[in-house]
Amino acid sequence: MKIMHTADWHLGKNIEGHSRMDEQETFLNDFIEIVERENIDLVIIAGDVYDTYNPPSRAEKMFYDALKRLSNNGERLILVIAGNHDNPQRLEAPGPLARDHGILMAGVPKTIIEPGTYGKHEVVNSGEGYVEIEINGERAVVLLLPYPSEKRLNEVLYNEVTDDEGNQKSYSDRIFSYFNQLESQFREDTINLVTSHIFAMGSEEGGSERSIQLGGTYIVEGKCFPDKAHYIALGHIHKPQIIPGTNGRGRYAGSPIHFNRREIAYGKKCMVIEIVVENGKTIKNDIREIDLKIYKPIEVWQCESVEAATLKCQDNAERSCWVYLEIETDHYIREDEIKKMKEVKADILEVIPKLTILKTEESLERLTEQSFGDVFKEFYRKERGIEADDEVLELLLSLVLQEEKL
């Protein structure tokens, strides 16, 4: 069986108020081509399909269109679980229609997926938090743990907690207990899988994940996941990586595009897993990474002056990229200077001045000998290019005197 693992699509996400949906739509088209080229049997989407509980209509349309194309009229099975950004009920709502296309949805822990025909495949057995599927004559058991918030975990395991230290320990223990109870569903003659949206201990955050839990992120240990699993497909962390303590069987696929400047240091990937089980023995368990394209890179331009920044904007006006401009300057950058740069390069996300005024001992000594009024007039002249008139100076001095009296 060939499995594709992806996660954290965050459809509808913005960057500094700019939509990323054009890039996301291009990714979805490429992803579908990869799945078809690799002849994938099962696609696992490990949470955070959307960026918000109430995604824009275009984001929902993109998702449903992608699922329909991925399923290929039910030829391919697709399993989707909810992440902390997803509304579980909203994600599961199209389930009856999705079923005809071979799409399984799980919104909360202990979701029960109804047995029966899904597209051209079968759910032969299921229960709270697990599903056994048959794809082209092969059987796989998948343990499901959609985003397990503290509240949802209490609801399904009926265990009250009190203090923060107890919460942290109890949370990890309860995740272990959850999988420990379900691991009995694994058999020697089945392909055994786990999928969840969770933060595993030792994982390196990518830079744009939001905290899983209000007041802090609850973290679980790698040993929480079943030893008998052939593969553990996780979502939540945006950097592709192996989960510590899983002997390489547990992976974060990461997000498909760079969502902010902290993510640009590493590439984006999806995972292809090929597992062969014959006569109760695992003959093959290969995990392979596929690099994804960067459709519109996020770049940080470091410029020595406003003039150099403006020139760089002109030279790169036609390039498709998001830009943070860091400009060395001895004055705060004026609105008209920023406007000029943005007129040339529309995709500037932020202009960040790096002040470079270095005072020598002589200049500092001269500064201490000047009156406050003289220091202000020199500052005003440098910033505005004109002399401060007497009314401005009198107003400032009156404000300073009032502050001293208070």
Side-chain angles (χ1 to χ4, degrees):
M1 184 179 294
K2 289 189 77 173
I3 303 152
M4 174 69 78
H5 169 207
T6 181
D8 296 282
W9 289 1
H10 288 274
L11 299 179
K13 191 174 182 66
N14 293 331
I15 182 169
E16 310 290 354
H18 297 262
S19 173
R20 309 297 298 279
M21 283 194 280
D22 286 346
E23 299 164 76
Q24 291 176 326
E25 191 159 31
T26 305
F27 153 69
L28 290 174
N29 289 331
D30 285 352
F31 180 72
I32 292 164
E33 288 184 8
I34 293 170
V35 168
E36 290 176 347
R37 184 178 68 238
E38 292 287 336
N39 196 26
I40 297 298
D41 300 302
L42 170 65
V43 176
I44 297 176
I45 305 174
D48 279 355
V49 169
Y50 300 116
D51 192 54
T52 64
Y53 257 47
N54 295 298
S57 58
R58 182 184 172 189
E60 287 192 302
K61 184 179 185 303
M62 286 162 53
F63 179 51
Y64 296 142
D65 286 347
L67 289 183
K68 184 178 178 181
R69 292 169 60 194
L70 282 168
S71 73
N72 191 24
N73 295 316
E75 294 284 349
R76 182 177 295 112
L77 206 63
I78 301 167
L79 174 59
V80 186
I81 65 168
N84 55 304
H85 287 244
D86 298 315
N87 181 328
Q89 290 74 32
R90 189 165 185 162
L91 193 69
E92 288 184 342
L97 292 175
R99 176 172 177 165
D100 293 340
H101 291 275
I103 300 164
L104 289 66
M105 306 279 202
V108 295
K110 289 200 172 181
T111 291
I112 300 177
I113 295 175
E114 185 180 348
T117 301
Y118 286 75
K120 298 183 179 179
H121 307 286
E122 295 288 327
V123 171
V124 295
N125 187 24
S126 66
E128 293 184 338
Y130 75 91
V131 61
E132 182 176 344
I133 55 180
E134 184 173 299
I135 302 176
N136 302 324
E138 294 182 286
R139 294 283 185 97
V141 174
V142 189
L143 307 188
L144 312 168
L145 184 58
Y147 166 56
S149 67
E150 181 73 10
K151 180 176 181 294
R152 292 175 193 168
L153 216 52
N154 279 335
E155 288 173 352
V156 298
L157 296 180
Y158 313 103
N159 184 14
E160 295 298 326
V161 291
T162 52
D163 57 67
D164 288 341
E165 184 177 351
N167 280 351
Q168 174 66 78
K169 183 177 186 300
S170 177
Y171 184 84
S172 187
D173 288 346
R174 280 176 290 162
I175 297 295
F176 176 81
S177 176
Y178 182 91
F179 283 125
N180 190 49
Q181 293 172 27
L182 290 175
E183 190 175 13
S184 61
Q185 301 300 326
F186 286 163
R187 303 195 306 271
E188 291 184 354
D189 63 339
T190 56
I191 293 168
N192 301 319
L193 307 171
V194 174
T195 183
S196 183
H197 192 90
I198 203 165
F199 194 166
M201 183 175 290
S203 303
E204 185 179 347
E205 292 183 78
S208 62
E209 306 89 346
R210 294 180 203 165
S211 175
I212 266 188
Q213 179 74 18
L214 185 63
T217 299
Y218 286 125
I219 304 173
V220 301
E221 299 178 16
K223 68 180 183 181
C224 286
F225 303 106
D227 290 333
K228 295 179 183 177
H230 290 106
Y231 185 77
I232 302 160
L234 294 195
H236 182 59
I237 301 302
H238 290 183
K239 181 177 181 178
Q241 59 194 282
I242 297 172
I243 301 158
T246 62
N247 296 319
R249 297 170 297 113
R251 303 285 179 113
Y252 283 105
S255 57
I257 67 173
H258 293 135
F259 286 128
N260 66 30
R261 63 187 294 180
R262 293 186 296 276
E263 293 190 15
I264 62 180
Y266 53 86
K268 297 298 185 176
K269 304 175 186 294
C270 55
M271 308 295 173
V272 174
I273 308 95
E274 189 167 3
I275 303 170
V276 178
V277 175
E278 293 179 359
N279 300 320
K281 294 183 178 180
T282 302
I283 306 300
K284 187 176 186 179
N285 190 0
D286 290 344
I287 302 170
R288 178 164 49 91
E289 298 178 346
I290 294 182
D291 293 327
L292 298 172
K293 296 177 184 176
I294 298 173
Y295 302 101
K296 190 170 183 178
I298 300 172
E299 299 182 359
V300 180
W301 295 355
Q302 296 175 330
C303 303
E304 296 179 351
S305 65
V306 171
E307 292 76 16
T310 303
L311 182 60
K312 184 153 189 174
C313 288
Q314 293 170 349
D315 291 343
N316 292 272
E318 302 303 318
R319 284 188 60 234
S320 179
C321 59
W322 302 109
V323 177
Y324 287 92
L325 264 178
E326 294 184 353
I327 304 174
E328 293 183 11
T329 176
D330 60 359
H331 66 279
Y332 286 101
I333 302 168
R334 302 190 308 270
E335 285 297 323
D336 63 302
E337 294 173 322
I338 294 174
K339 183 179 179 182
K340 184 178 180 181
M341 287 182 276
K342 288 188 174 182
E343 284 176 349
V344 177
K345 181 65 178 172
D347 296 328
I348 294 174
L349 299 173
E350 187 177 1
V351 177
I352 307 160
K354 300 289 186 181
L355 296 178
T356 58
I357 300 175
L358 298 177
K359 303 288 185 184
T360 63
E361 288 185 8
E362 182 180 346
S363 65
L364 288 171
E365 185 178 345
R366 181 175 60 82
L367 192 62
T368 58
E369 294 173 354
Q370 289 180 296
S371 67
F372 177 80
D374 289 337
V375 171
F376 173 74
K377 285 193 287 186
E378 184 176 333
F379 169 79
Y380 194 93
R381 189 185 309 116
K382 180 181 288 290
E383 288 298 307
R384 297 296 182 89
I386 57 174
E387 296 292 334
D389 57 39
D390 292 339
E391 290 184 3
V392 172
L393 184 58
E394 288 175 9
L395 176 61
L396 178 68
L397 291 174
S398 67
L399 291 173
V400 172
L401 288 173
Q402 286 181 8
E403 183 69 23
E404 288 178 349
K405 289 178 182 179
L406 293 174

